[in-house]
Amino acid sequence: MLISASNHLNNNKVAVDKLNVFPVPDGDTGTNMSLTFTAASQEIKKFITPAIGDVAKTLSSASLRGARGNSGVILSQLCRGLAKSLESKQNADSKEIAAALKCASDTAYKAVMRPTEGTILTVAREFAEAAVKISQREEDVCAMLKEAIDVAKTALDNTPNQLPVLKEAGVVDAGGAGLVVLLEGAYHALSTGELVEIKEAVKQTTSGAVQASIDVENIKFAYCTEFIIDKKSASVDVKRFSEVIDPKGDCKLVIDDDEIVKVHIHTNNPGFVLEEALKLGMLSRIKIDNMKLQHTTIMESEGGSPVEQQADAQKPKQHKKYGFVSVVAGSGLADIFSDYGVDEIIEGGQTMNPSTDDILSAAENIDADCIFILPNNKNIILAANQAQELSDKNIVVIPTKTAPQGIAAMMAFLPHVEQDVNEQSMCEAISNVKTGQVTYAVRDTSVSGTEIKSGDIIGIADGEISAVSSTPDEALLKLAEEMTDDDSEVITVYYGEDISDEQANDILDTLEEKYDDIDVLLQKGNQPLYYYILSVE
């Protein structure tokens, strides 16, 4: 059922993406949910004679680590609640399935600080409540789910009546739609005994740190080693194991998740790592790849020669008081964050949200007493928080929603002050930044009474569409006019990959002439999808 659900969502993820309230080219709810669930279904496929509790547990663990974006994190919490209720069960009847669905909904609601009705949470709750009610009179699981899914569809259709912004845009909630697609795929397998077939190959996209070019002769640690430890007891010393294997390689990731430990490391001594792991429990899903044999093609790189990049990557990590992870889209913005002292840049943001695992891996690569994570996107904050919970390291998530907020936070950081003082200062700096973005509409819609046609250039000021224009420059000037006031001191324009240097300098001249009492700065961001990102402080 779960594999069929995953396949069905993969087939329909683009349609779910298009349900984005804003008609911008980065609607990614369906993609995020699909990537999250695909990561889990790949693990489930490895079962031979599964008990329902074991399958649910694997679903929970894999979705938790593979969660992308807010929708993916909420989906992983639904899976977590399902597993909690089905723990240790070999089979489950209609009442037990219904109770597990209710536990899933309750767990997801608790995970969200301010639950909003008219979202995936509402669809999940009404589906679960219906399942519990129906199971009291219907013992057949298939019949019970069919009725409950009909309720879920009705709940989805009602989401525009609960959220006016959905009604105005003429769409239902994207997360709720993704959940209904998953349920339909699962029901298909249960009712027919056959999987929904994938109509198109799953696009394998990774969003970890920008992949450096590799000279195979300079790979210091050749074997990419991955496996799962089934802990023999809850008291095994996972921290000690992590410390013992640390000198034996790099890119280490040790995730302690309830009864299992997920391990990833690049090493020249996989045997040593496995021997140490056996002290903690039984091993499964062992995968060891020789990276020197895998990397037969050297990619071109913008950041120096392959040998230089690899040499930098293999420098011993120096312990320090503070470290930083930042999620960034665009090579220019990545350079800016690096200049401000960010240790690990995760390529991502709009459209491609990094997973919880991506963020964990980046944090694990830093040797620091405290690691600050800058998500720079509201859709990545939940995944960053989830990474914080899973890691043994001292991680602080600064809830930056845009790149300008992230830059402001880094500027507010002081290396000589204590962690709590820095956290407070960085969070305060966020509130002093207004962010504008210029992009294009991908469909006809209406937002806040403004009619928008596909192809229109739109300006977004702090999450609200406030300008509709025919050119990016015109939209930028409208945004600047709305966002500046008597207290504004600095305007910074980050221009994207579709804007030439000449065009950017022209708009700089225009802004400097118009705002001669404000400092106007121009930076090359090279960000995709967004012609300009505007920062006003």
Side-chain angles (χ1 to χ4, degrees), residues 99-230:
L101 295 172
K102 182 66 168 59
C103 184
S105 173
D106 292 344
T107 302
Y109 263 89
K110 289 176 184 176
V112 178
M113 188 174 296
R114 289 182 291 274
T116 302
E117 296 302 326
T119 65
I120 182 175
L121 292 172
T122 304
V123 177
R125 175 177 54 77
E126 294 195 22
F127 167 67
E129 289 173 349
V132 170
K133 185 176 180 180
I134 296 164
S135 69
Q136 301 304 311
R137 58 175 170 77
E138 181 58 76
E139 294 183 359
D140 183 81
V141 176
C142 191
M144 181 270 287
L145 286 179
K146 185 177 187 302
E147 282 192 56
I149 290 172
D150 287 340
V151 173
K153 290 178 180 178
T154 301
L156 176 64
D157 291 340
N158 191 46
T159 55
N161 297 322
Q162 295 171 295
L163 279 179
V165 67
L166 294 175
K167 194 163 193 173
E168 185 179 19
V171 295
V172 295
D173 179 68
L179 179 60
V180 168
V181 171
L182 283 170
L183 296 174
E184 289 176 331
Y187 176 75
H188 177 86
L190 181 65
S191 59
T192 68
E194 299 177 355
L195 295 176
V196 171
E197 294 184 4
I198 297 179
K199 295 178 182 177
E200 54 181 299
V202 176
K203 185 178 180 182
Q204 299 295 337
T205 310
T206 57
S207 63
V210 180
Q211 185 174 4
S213 302
I214 296 174
D215 184 335
V216 295
E217 296 305 318
N218 285 279
I219 293 180
K220 183 177 179 181
F221 299 106
Y223 297 96
C224 177
T225 305
E226 298 178 89
F227 54 89
I228 299 287
I229 305 173
D230 293 305

Side-chain angles (χ1 to χ4, degrees), residues 79 94 120 125 128 171 181 187 252 280 292 319 323 352 437:
C79 296
S94 65
I120 182 175
R125 175 177 54 77
V171 295
V181 171
Y187 176 75
K252 184 193 71 174
L280 274 62
K292 287 190 176 184
H319 181 79
M352 181 48 64
Q437 298 165 307

